[in-house]
Amino acid sequence: MNAFIYLAFALLPLDNFPYMFGGAYKPVSLIFIVLYCVLKIPVLIRMKFQRKEIWIFIVLVSAVLISAILGLQNNYSFAGLQDAVVSLAAGIIIYLSFRIYVHSSEHRKDSFLTLFRWMFRGYWLAVIIGLLQLVYMYAFHSGALSSVIGFFVQRDSYVTAGRMHFTFSEPSYIGLHTNLLLFPAYLILKKYNYLTKSDKVLLWIFIPLSLLSLSIRYYLDLLFFVVVYVIVTSKPEKFLMLFMKFMMYLAAAAVLLNIVFVNNLFQLKSDHYYRILHIYEDPASITEDNSFSIRSTYSSLGFRSFLDKPWFGYGMGNYYYGFMHNLDHIPADTLEENEELRDAKYNLTLPQYNMYTRLLSEFGLLGIMLILLLLSLVRLSHKGNFPKLMVVLLLYSLLQFDSFAFIQVLFWVAILQSEEVSRLRIGKAESTENKRKMAKMHSGPWVQLRRSEHYPK
């Protein structure tokens, strides 16, 4: 049965696969996650759920009912609510699948290691397509090569514009893969001495290639991960060393920016290269950037929508009405210059990139309760620093939430409830006591997998 979950994680990089139900922008892995949940229904029925999980379900059902009533009272279109309910149902199935997996793996801790190994295998496909994109962009502009790339990714306009995006929907989605999947998996495999040379090579190829995505959002995601990792893995008494590390990373980042962007080492000709160069030379100009303008506008109007209706919001999927009600707060020149903001007036299922302001605008105070309940599911009372790292990364990811992030966020909410993962310590902050435990665990269930390849039966 676990084979479906392993296969799902191997296919996570294919989140822009053209040949899938409903079109692209959904990872193929969703099919296998749903199959796993259906086949595990007998296990699901026998499982015991925490009281917090039941309260989360009650809040979500209440939000749907309240939203339906608000829609009838205010004569809203039900298009937004229907879209939100479909997303909610998908999210519940995804969470239940991972919850079942964690429950079924309680006595087989090696299952987590196998899961992450399959994930790394899957990312090799993304790296191979990335290398083909590199050849296509800078060496051999071939129609045949374009066809091979197009078989795996629907949105090939990024490659023709000189931007790397592997097999992902957008270059800016790379941070969702690195921060919430690749890097955490790398840390866990390294912790339990299950990291192979192939895994290390994968990252050494992936990271340099990903820099050619020319995505400001990804660069910020990468920097954020490094900063949070250094903080959670450093001991408080070593503040001076921590400060020196930050200075070293900042210096390295400055050198890299100068080499890649100012000196244009790779002879980049993409419009996004000049966009980043302009922001690098004049940081204040980021406020004039279209992408920044869209995100900040949606967020500010989302908060204004919450102030309009703080108790229950505009209803699930109804951010559009909050947006329209506060449209006059958008400067006229911003609205005139930004096509996406102008088109938003005709999109009844208008989304937001900021999940916090979306929950506030659509759920009201119920949204705050939902976030607090989800946080309470994660066991932060343990001494492990790995859960702290993941919680901070998850909270950060909600600032720029995309539909694909449903899988990563709900996976970690489920897996961090595991006793072993919730106590996990990484980096130099690991205590001597935990090192002794690790020595004992070399004969325990975490490492019953041999160095030979392990395939699910």
Side-chain angles (χ1 to χ4, degrees), residues 285-313:
S285 67
I286 193 171
T287 56
E288 303 167 6
D289 184 76
N290 272 356
S291 181
F292 179 85
S293 177
I294 292 166
R295 285 167 166 76
S296 60
T297 300
Y298 283 164
S299 295
S300 62
L301 265 58
F303 187 72
R304 287 182 181 276
S305 301
F306 167 68
L307 296 178
D308 293 340
K309 301 187 176 186
W311 290 106
F312 301 113

Side-chain angles (χ1 to χ4, degrees), residues 47-48 50 53 95 97-113 115-116 188 192 374-388 390-391 394 409-425 441 445-446:
M47 277 175 53
K48 292 182 180 179
Q50 297 182 48
E53 292 173 303
Y95 176 74
S97 297
F98 294 142
R99 185 73 167 77
I100 293 168
Y101 176 75
V102 171
H103 173 78
S104 303
S105 303
E106 282 180 347
H107 303 296
R108 282 197 63 218
K109 304 301 188 296
D110 57 298
S111 295
F112 295 120
L113 298 179
L115 181 70
F116 294 131
I188 288 179
Y192 291 101
L374 283 170
L375 269 176
S376 68
L377 275 180
V378 183
R379 301 179 180 182
L380 292 177
S381 58
H382 299 303
K383 295 180 180 180
N385 58 4
F386 180 78
K388 294 180 176 63
M390 292 313 306
V391 169
L394 291 174
V409 170
L410 295 176
F411 168 70
W412 286 112
V413 170
I415 201 173
L416 287 174
Q417 295 177 58
S418 162
E419 196 73 20
E420 289 294 334
V421 177
S422 66
R423 293 179 181 274
L424 191 62
R425 296 184 66 82
M441 289 177 68
W446 270 95

Side-chain angles (χ1 to χ4, degrees), residues 53-157:
E53 292 173 303
I54 296 171
W55 272 110
I56 288 172
F57 182 75
I58 292 172
V59 168
L60 291 173
V61 172
S62 301
V64 173
L65 295 175
I66 291 170
S67 300
I69 294 170
L70 289 173
L72 292 171
Q73 286 179 342
N74 296 287
N75 198 29
Y76 291 157
S77 165
F78 275 82
L81 178 59
Q82 290 172 359
D83 185 67
V85 168
V86 170
S87 298
L88 175 62
I92 290 174
I93 292 173
I94 291 169
Y95 176 74
L96 289 177
S97 297
F98 294 142
R99 185 73 167 77
I100 293 168
Y101 176 75
V102 171
H103 173 78
S104 303
S105 303
E106 282 180 347
H107 303 296
R108 282 197 63 218
K109 304 301 188 296
D110 57 298
S111 295
F112 295 120
L113 298 179
T114 307
L115 181 70
F116 294 131
R117 285 293 299 114
W118 275 95
M119 183 197 300
F120 264 86
R121 290 186 184 110
Y123 275 101
W124 267 110
L125 174 61
V127 165
I128 290 169
I129 300 302
L131 290 171
L132 292 179
Q133 290 174 1
L134 183 68
V135 173
Y136 178 82
M137 289 187 294
Y138 297 106
F140 189 54
H141 206 71
S142 161
L145 195 55
S146 177
S147 298
V148 174
I149 295 169
F151 180 80
F152 293 97
V153 288
Q154 186 176 62
R155 304 182 74 178
D156 57 358
S157 58

Side-chain angles (χ1 to χ4, degrees), residues 301 305 308 314 318-327 361:
L301 265 58
S305 301
D308 293 340
Y314 279 84
N318 288 334
Y319 167 66
Y320 166 80
Y321 294 100
F323 176 84
M324 293 300 293
H325 187 262
N326 292 280
L327 196 61
S361 62

Side-chain angles (χ1 to χ4, degrees), residues 9-34:
F9 268 69
L11 295 174
L12 278 175
L14 287 176
D15 70 80
N16 192 226
F17 191 58
Y19 308 100
M20 183 179 173
F21 65 93
Y25 317 118
K26 304 181 190 72
V28 181
S29 52
L30 272 175
I31 298 171
F32 298 98
I33 292 172
V34 172

